[in-house]
Amino acid sequence: MHMQRLTLDKFTSFCKTRGFVYPSSEIYGGLGGIYDYGHYGYLLKENIKNAWIKSMIQDRDDVTLLDSAIFMHPKTWIASGHVDSFDDPMVDCKHCKLRYRADHLLEEFGIKIDDKASIDEINAELDALRHAGNLKCPNCDSKELTSARRFSLMVKSNLGSTVDKLNDEDVVYLRPETCGGIYLEYKNVVETLHPKFPFGIAQVGKAFRNEIVARQFIYRTREFEQMEMQYFHHPDDTKQKYEEWKQFRWNWYLEYGIPENKLQWYKHEKLAHYATDAYDIKYKFDSLDGFAEVEGIHARGNWDLSQHSKYSGIKLDFFDPERNEKFIPHIMETSAGLNRLLMMFLDNAYHEQEILTTDNEGSGKKDTRILLRLDPRLSPVKIAILPLMKKQVLIRKAKEIFNNLKKLYICEYDESGSIGKRYRRQDEIGTPYCITVDYQTLEDNTTTVRDRDSMNQERIHVNELKVYFAEKIL
Ligand code: GAP
């Protein structure tokens, strides 16, 4: 059970001290909205990614993979509408110079506005607050706030041999979403893999957005990873496919241990320029004190392929032999943020538990145990192997077991400190099983296997360990 709410500060500090997530460039004072992933963060992120890929590729037979480049021809983002209209409304405080996303600023005054609201609608709300004398900077209380204006989220870079001769030809964008590469490779995939229609293309990779404020730890960052799947289908099938994909993605969260009562659907009333229908899956973050979006499921119509066909002059239609019909496929998109999902899984797994321990004099005392109740498939380390005491005979046996199991699983060997402290350390990084080698092991070749969540221990023969874990860690 949580003993108290997991505040964002506490969560951020936990992620840093346990080697999951570090603020980037810290020795230079940090770089807003950018984070690095430590050993355990990296492993957890890989496991989430693999769980997503497994569900898309191994559990189905109609989706293929792609790894497209981050840089794409600049026309990509003109065709997609991003250069013209991928922006957020921004308000500046003239006094303390802090910058706000206007919709977030309005939320501070209890006004909820759809994130696709027009700039005029936003300014009308801001003006109403201003005229009532209520609009002030949440940081310094100044009433000198600018009107909202559009701020492009596109991150620019340049390519070319002559850096000092920067012109429009050299300007390239770091992709703001990974799906762009999928549309550009659609033709190659069709011509080389000949997928049976309807089919999907999935990819995981970095995306970059010039977010105005990136204040909620790794929830909203300027560099992040997306896991996106674009499903190419006939327009007549949109309704059915939309429901199927909504259900498919919802079930994935349940399968990996997110309780259904912490999930919610949110239907967008105002849609992005490309979308014909859009729902978000929201998760109830303890660390953000409420529900927030983790994934979008969008019906994108044939906007993307039509636009890229128009701007490139290349036909991107599809001949479906079963229908005997040529058409531009419509697209169903599932789009999840990998870093955001990592935050969600950690937020959901974090538990504090009051337990009774025995001190050196043998009397009981109350203590708090922190544990990450991660699904074992997601846990960064699967098994820790611990000699009960730092004695050569126990160390030798424990290392022998460690060397065998590490061929199959990410394992840790630890001989430092009391056994209680070592268990606690593994609980905090979410290791589901600890094997302890004691004197009985030397006599009958059995070990104790301790379960992270229940703290129950059972004796398992060393020769049975592989079979035992094969059933526990799928
Ligand atoms: N291709 C559609 C698309 O990119 P989106 O709603 O802008 O749609 C999809 O983004 C998902 O990507 C979000 O639900 C979120 O999980 C993640 N995401 C978007 N912006 C992010 C940011 N600045 N930091 C972290 N994750 C982000």
CSV table of all heavy atoms in Angstrom, one decimal, residues 341-363:
chain,number,residue,atom,x,y,z
A,341,LEU,N,5.4,5.9,-20.8
A,341,LEU,CA,4.9,4.6,-20.3
A,341,LEU,C,5.9,4.1,-19.2
A,341,LEU,O,5.5,3.4,-18.2
A,341,LEU,CB,4.9,3.5,-21.4
A,341,LEU,CG,3.8,3.7,-22.5
A,341,LEU,CD1,3.6,2.5,-23.3
A,341,LEU,CD2,2.4,4.1,-21.8
A,342,LEU,N,7.2,4.4,-19.3
A,342,LEU,CA,8.1,4.0,-18.3
A,342,LEU,C,7.7,4.7,-17.0
A,342,LEU,O,7.7,4.1,-15.9
A,342,LEU,CB,9.5,4.4,-18.7
A,342,LEU,CG,10.6,4.1,-17.7
A,342,LEU,CD1,11.9,3.5,-18.4
A,342,LEU,CD2,11.1,5.4,-16.9
A,343,MET,N,7.3,6.0,-17.1
A,343,MET,CA,6.9,6.8,-15.9
A,343,MET,C,5.6,6.1,-15.3
A,343,MET,O,5.5,6.0,-14.1
A,343,MET,CB,6.7,8.2,-16.3
A,343,MET,CG,6.2,9.1,-15.1
A,343,MET,SD,6.3,10.8,-15.5
A,343,MET,CE,5.4,11.6,-14.2
A,344,MET,N,4.7,5.7,-16.2
A,344,MET,CA,3.5,5.1,-15.8
A,344,MET,C,3.7,3.8,-15.0
A,344,MET,O,3.2,3.5,-14.0
A,344,MET,CB,2.6,4.8,-17.0
A,344,MET,CG,1.3,4.1,-16.7
A,344,MET,SD,0.5,3.4,-18.1
A,344,MET,CE,1.5,2.1,-18.5
A,345,PHE,N,4.6,2.9,-15.6
A,345,PHE,CA,4.8,1.6,-15.0
A,345,PHE,C,5.5,1.8,-13.6
A,345,PHE,O,5.2,1.1,-12.7
A,345,PHE,CB,5.7,0.7,-15.9
A,345,PHE,CG,4.8,0.1,-17.0
A,345,PHE,CD1,5.0,0.3,-18.3
A,345,PHE,CD2,3.8,-0.8,-16.6
A,345,PHE,CE1,4.3,-0.3,-19.3
A,345,PHE,CE2,3.0,-1.5,-17.6
A,345,PHE,CZ,3.3,-1.2,-19.0
A,346,LEU,N,6.5,2.8,-13.5
A,346,LEU,CA,7.1,3.0,-12.3
A,346,LEU,C,6.1,3.6,-11.2
A,346,LEU,O,6.1,3.2,-10.1
A,346,LEU,CB,8.3,4.0,-12.4
A,346,LEU,CG,9.6,3.4,-13.0
A,346,LEU,CD1,10.6,4.5,-13.2
A,346,LEU,CD2,10.1,2.3,-12.2
A,347,ASP,N,5.3,4.5,-11.7
A,347,ASP,CA,4.3,5.1,-10.8
A,347,ASP,C,3.4,4.1,-10.3
A,347,ASP,O,3.0,4.1,-9.1
A,347,ASP,CB,3.6,6.2,-11.6
A,347,ASP,CG,2.5,6.9,-10.9
A,347,ASP,OD1,1.4,6.3,-10.6
A,347,ASP,OD2,2.7,8.1,-10.5
A,348,ASN,N,3.0,3.2,-11.1
A,348,ASN,CA,2.0,2.1,-10.7
A,348,ASN,C,2.7,1.1,-9.8
A,348,ASN,O,2.0,0.5,-8.9
A,348,ASN,CB,1.5,1.4,-12.0
A,348,ASN,CG,0.4,0.4,-11.6
A,348,ASN,OD1,-0.6,0.7,-10.9
A,348,ASN,ND2,0.6,-0.8,-12.0
A,349,ALA,N,4.0,0.9,-10.0
A,349,ALA,CA,4.7,-0.2,-9.3
A,349,ALA,C,5.1,0.2,-7.9
A,349,ALA,O,5.3,-0.6,-7.0
A,349,ALA,CB,5.9,-0.7,-10.1
A,350,TYR,N,5.3,1.6,-7.8
A,350,TYR,CA,5.9,2.1,-6.5
A,350,TYR,C,5.0,1.8,-5.3
A,350,TYR,O,3.8,2.3,-5.3
A,350,TYR,CB,6.2,3.6,-6.7
A,350,TYR,CG,6.9,4.2,-5.5
A,350,TYR,CD1,8.3,4.3,-5.4
A,350,TYR,CD2,6.2,4.6,-4.4
A,350,TYR,CE1,8.9,4.8,-4.3
A,350,TYR,CE2,6.8,5.1,-3.3
A,350,TYR,CZ,8.2,5.2,-3.3
A,350,TYR,OH,8.8,5.8,-2.2
A,351,HIS,N,5.5,1.1,-4.3
A,351,HIS,CA,4.7,0.9,-3.1
A,351,HIS,C,5.6,1.1,-1.9
A,351,HIS,O,6.8,0.7,-1.9
A,351,HIS,CB,4.2,-0.6,-3.1
A,351,HIS,CG,3.0,-0.7,-4.0
A,351,HIS,ND1,3.1,-0.9,-5.3
A,351,HIS,CD2,1.7,-0.8,-3.7
A,351,HIS,CE1,2.0,-1.0,-5.9
A,351,HIS,NE2,1.1,-1.0,-4.9
A,352,GLU,N,5.0,1.6,-0.8
A,352,GLU,CA,5.7,1.6,0.4
A,352,GLU,C,4.9,0.7,1.4
A,352,GLU,O,3.7,0.8,1.4
A,352,GLU,CB,5.7,3.1,1.0
A,352,GLU,CG,6.7,3.9,0.2
A,352,GLU,CD,6.8,5.3,0.7
A,352,GLU,OE1,6.2,5.6,1.8
A,352,GLU,OE2,7.3,6.2,0.0
A,353,GLN,N,5.6,-0.1,2.1
A,353,GLN,CA,5.0,-1.1,3.0
A,353,GLN,C,5.6,-1.0,4.4
A,353,GLN,O,6.8,-1.0,4.5
A,353,GLN,CB,5.2,-2.5,2.4
A,353,GLN,CG,4.1,-3.4,2.4
A,353,GLN,CD,4.5,-4.7,1.7
A,353,GLN,OE1,5.6,-5.2,1.8
A,353,GLN,NE2,3.6,-5.2,1.0
A,354,GLU,N,4.8,-1.0,5.4
A,354,GLU,CA,5.3,-1.1,6.8
A,354,GLU,C,5.6,-2.5,7.1
A,354,GLU,O,4.7,-3.4,7.0
A,354,GLU,CB,4.3,-0.5,7.8
A,354,GLU,CG,4.7,0.8,8.2
A,354,GLU,CD,3.9,1.4,9.4
A,354,GLU,OE1,3.2,0.6,10.0
A,354,GLU,OE2,4.0,2.6,9.6
A,355,ILE,N,6.8,-2.8,7.6
A,355,ILE,CA,7.1,-4.2,7.9
A,355,ILE,C,7.8,-4.2,9.3
A,355,ILE,O,8.3,-3.2,9.8
A,355,ILE,CB,8.0,-4.9,6.9
A,355,ILE,CG1,9.3,-4.0,6.6
A,355,ILE,CG2,7.3,-5.2,5.6
A,355,ILE,CD1,10.4,-4.8,5.9
A,356,LEU,N,7.8,-5.4,9.9
A,356,LEU,CA,8.5,-5.5,11.2
A,356,LEU,C,9.9,-6.2,10.9
A,356,LEU,O,10.0,-7.2,10.2
A,356,LEU,CB,7.7,-6.5,12.1
A,356,LEU,CG,6.7,-5.8,13.0
A,356,LEU,CD1,6.1,-6.9,13.9
A,356,LEU,CD2,7.4,-4.8,14.0
A,357,THR,N,10.9,-5.6,11.4
A,357,THR,CA,12.3,-6.2,11.2
A,357,THR,C,12.9,-6.5,12.6
A,357,THR,O,12.4,-5.9,13.6
A,357,THR,CB,13.2,-5.3,10.4
A,357,THR,OG1,13.3,-4.0,11.1
A,357,THR,CG2,12.8,-5.1,9.0
A,358,THR,N,13.9,-7.3,12.6
A,358,THR,CA,14.5,-7.6,13.9
A,358,THR,C,15.9,-6.8,13.9
A,358,THR,O,16.7,-6.9,13.0
A,358,THR,CB,14.8,-9.1,14.0
A,358,THR,OG1,13.7,-9.8,13.3
A,358,THR,CG2,14.8,-9.6,15.4
A,359,ASP,N,16.1,-6.1,15.0
A,359,ASP,CA,17.4,-5.4,15.1
A,359,ASP,C,18.5,-6.3,15.7
A,359,ASP,O,18.2,-7.5,15.9
A,359,ASP,CB,17.3,-4.1,15.9
A,359,ASP,CG,16.9,-4.4,17.4
A,359,ASP,OD1,17.1,-5.5,17.8
A,359,ASP,OD2,16.4,-3.4,18.0
A,360,ASN,N,19.7,-5.8,15.8
A,360,ASN,CA,20.9,-6.6,16.3
A,360,ASN,C,20.6,-7.3,17.6
A,360,ASN,O,21.2,-8.4,17.9
A,360,ASN,CB,22.1,-5.8,16.4
A,360,ASN,CG,22.6,-5.4,15.0
A,360,ASN,OD1,22.1,-6.0,14.0
A,360,ASN,ND2,23.4,-4.3,14.9
A,361,GLU,N,19.8,-6.7,18.5
A,361,GLU,CA,19.6,-7.3,19.8
A,361,GLU,C,18.4,-8.3,19.7
A,361,GLU,O,18.0,-8.9,20.7
A,361,GLU,CB,19.2,-6.2,20.8
A,361,GLU,CG,20.4,-5.5,21.4
A,361,GLU,CD,20.9,-4.4,20.5
A,361,GLU,OE1,20.1,-3.6,20.1
A,361,GLU,OE2,22.1,-4.4,20.3
A,362,GLY,N,17.9,-8.4,18.5
A,362,GLY,CA,16.8,-9.5,18.4
A,362,GLY,C,15.4,-9.0,18.7
A,362,GLY,O,14.5,-9.7,18.6
A,363,SER,N,15.2,-7.6,18.9
A,363,SER,CA,13.9,-7.2,19.2
A,363,SER,C,13.3,-6.6,17.9
A,363,SER,O,14.0,-6.0,17.0
A,363,SER,CB,13.8,-6.2,20.3
A,363,SER,OG,14.9,-5.2,20.2
